[in-house]
Amino acid sequence: MHTHLTLLATQGSKRVRLMQAARAQLRLPPAQVLEWRDWLAQPALLEHALRQPGLLKIEPPGDDTAAHLLLLQAGCRLLERPPVAAPEHGELLAMDAWFAGFTSAMTALAAQLLELPQTRVFNAPGEISRMTDKLACQRHLAAHGVPIPALLGPVHGYEHLQSLLHQHDLDRLYLKPRYGSSASGVVAYRRNSAGRQQATTSAALSRAEGRTRLFNVKRMARYETTGDIAALVDALAAQELYAEAWLNKPRCGDSHYDLRVVTVAGQPAHRVARIGDRMMTNLHLDNRRGDASGLLNAADLAALEDTAALAARAFPASHVTGYDLVVRHGQAHVLEANAFGDLLPGLLWQGIDTYTAQLAHA
């Protein structure tokens, strides 16, 4: 086991605290932390941090608002757009520009690592970028034989959404921001034969002074007027949006659930059911954890493990990855891959948490 670990992360974040606790439990020295904001300002700090052989783990930059803004402004420059003001707390703003800045940073990081052959990286920067582009990721998984919900492709606005529904003869689907995370801006859209529409989402609309803004909220919002739904879809489409077929989730009493599975070194390890009575079951939206083994029969459990392992093979340079799955009737579909899907405090597999497991298998 390499004893030296560097984290590209945000000092004091929950992820860093959990990793340092795992290091202490394994009697390893604390990980060195290189702040995202510092590396973005001075890339040479990485070579200095990695001057001795060891491991590098890239954590998400979203814990640091300053790093997020640096990536956002870099993306605006790359896309030749005027700079945007710093997003307010929870604001969904120019996600496509943020991704342009983020993927440029990952490309630069990969180039730096080529000059540091003594460093092993937990998840390769290129694979992190691919998983962060949700549409490209789903297409990549499908190309590797991984079952996913049917993709309906990019959505350019509300009118385009209506034509897609007509073209595919659908009355419900999911709309997903191409570069979002943690259900940010995801919309469950339904309409009935009488033409009545409903959009359920974690994105709250704010319209003032002729401006439409979106804010990620924990309490799900429901929109039912054409004006509101059109404003919502158009605002999301401006930041890149795609549609996928609706997949019914299995029931658990009055609620329904999907599953998060963490793969470590390509093998399914930690798994948890995410149970809720709303469309989105992400745990940060006040949904509850459930015991996956208690909910799944033998065929479902086998499908979960086989599909998670198949998905992990599509990302061979990623040591620890989270996958969200719907498992029903002995079949599993991957809803999403998450390069940063190991933040599940207190969830144990074979007696150890996600951070201790990934260190033990490094």
Side-chain angles (χ1 to χ4, degrees):
M1 184 189 294
H2 289 281
T3 55
H4 189 263
L5 172 65
T6 299
L7 301 175
L8 179 61
T10 303
Q11 188 68 268
S13 66
K14 186 178 286 187
R15 293 173 185 272
V16 169
R17 293 199 305 272
L18 289 167
M19 178 59 85
Q20 299 293 31
R23 299 278 296 175
Q25 188 175 338
L26 292 171
R27 299 186 179 175
L28 294 170
Q32 171 185 219
V33 178
L34 173 59
E35 293 264 4
W36 261 95
R37 61 170 78 183
D38 295 338
W39 172 67
L40 289 169
Q42 300 179 69
L45 289 173
L46 186 72
E47 284 96 350
H48 180 72
L50 300 176
R51 61 193 180 280
Q52 61 176 295
L55 294 161
L56 170 68
K57 185 167 190 228
I58 303 158
E59 297 286 15
D63 290 322
D64 180 0
T65 54
H68 181 89
L69 184 59
L70 285 168
L71 293 169
L72 184 57
Q73 302 294 24
C76 287
R77 290 192 296 274
L78 287 164
L79 299 175
E80 299 182 342
R81 289 189 201 166
V84 294
E88 290 185 26
H89 179 70
E91 186 173 8
L92 304 179
L93 176 69
M95 289 185 277
D96 55 338
W98 174 87
F99 179 75
F102 176 74
T103 198
S104 173
M106 288 292 96
T107 301
L109 179 56
Q112 283 189 288
L113 289 170
L114 286 175
E115 305 298 319
L116 298 161
Q118 76 278 18
T119 298
R120 286 177 55 211
V121 66
F122 269 68
N123 289 5
E127 292 195 354
I128 291 174
S129 289
R130 176 165 273 163
M131 283 186 249
T132 307
D133 180 340
K134 301 303 180 187
L135 178 55
C137 179
Q138 290 299 86
R139 288 170 170 162
H140 177 76
L141 288 169
H144 283 76
V146 180
I148 62 165
L151 289 174
L152 306 175
V155 176
H156 305 303
Y158 177 77
E159 293 302 326
H160 184 222
L161 168 64
Q162 297 306 310
S163 69
L164 279 175
L165 290 162
H166 178 73
Q167 177 188 337
H168 294 279
D169 194 23
L170 294 172
D171 58 7
R172 56 184 185 167
L173 48 69
Y174 273 93
L175 300 169
K176 296 186 173 182
R178 184 163 181 166
Y179 312 113
S181 63
S182 305
S184 298
V186 173
V187 179
Y189 175 91
R190 295 185 284 194
R191 67 178 186 183
N192 63 19
S193 56
R196 187 178 171 199
Q197 306 176 81
Q198 185 183 92
T200 305
T201 180
S202 60
L205 266 176
S206 167
R207 285 190 282 181
E209 300 166 8
R211 242 181 111 199
T212 300
R213 299 169 74 190
L214 300 172
F215 291 88
N216 200 33
V217 291
K218 286 183 76 170
R219 186 177 180 84
M220 302 293 283
R222 181 177 293 170
Y223 299 102
E224 297 184 335
T225 70
T226 299
D228 281 344
I229 295 173
L232 172 71
V233 174
D234 288 345
L236 288 168
Q239 305 180 53
E240 292 204 45
L241 187 68
Y242 71 98
E244 69 178 29
W246 188 289
L247 205 60
N248 284 327
K249 295 180 180 178
R251 306 291 304 181
C252 172
D254 293 333
S255 303
H256 49 242
Y257 68 92
D258 60 15
L259 299 134
R260 164 64 60 90
V261 180
V262 178
T263 61
V264 179
Q267 295 303 310
H270 303 72
R271 68 281 310 263
V272 63
R274 308 185 305 177
I275 304 170
D277 54 9
R278 296 166 297 181
M279 312 295 183
M280 287 55 152
T281 52
N282 300 64
L283 293 172
H284 76 282
L285 295 174
D286 292 334
N287 295 305
R288 61 191 188 278
R289 291 184 181 188
D291 176 19
S293 62
L295 289 167
L296 303 181
N297 61 30
D300 286 344
L301 200 55
L304 175 144
E305 301 210 339
D306 290 347
T307 304
L310 183 62
R313 286 200 289 278
F315 292 102
S318 294
H319 179 63
V320 55
T321 305
Y323 296 97
D324 297 338
L325 299 97
V326 167
V327 185
R328 299 178 78 222
H329 311 309
Q331 289 188 303
H333 291 80
V334 175
L335 302 177
E336 184 175 307
N338 189 330
F340 308 118
D342 54 357
L343 182 60
L344 293 161
L347 181 66
L348 303 183
W349 173 249
Q350 297 178 346
I352 57 176
D353 66 19
T354 57
Y355 290 87
T356 307
Q358 60 194 269
L359 289 171
H361 285 86

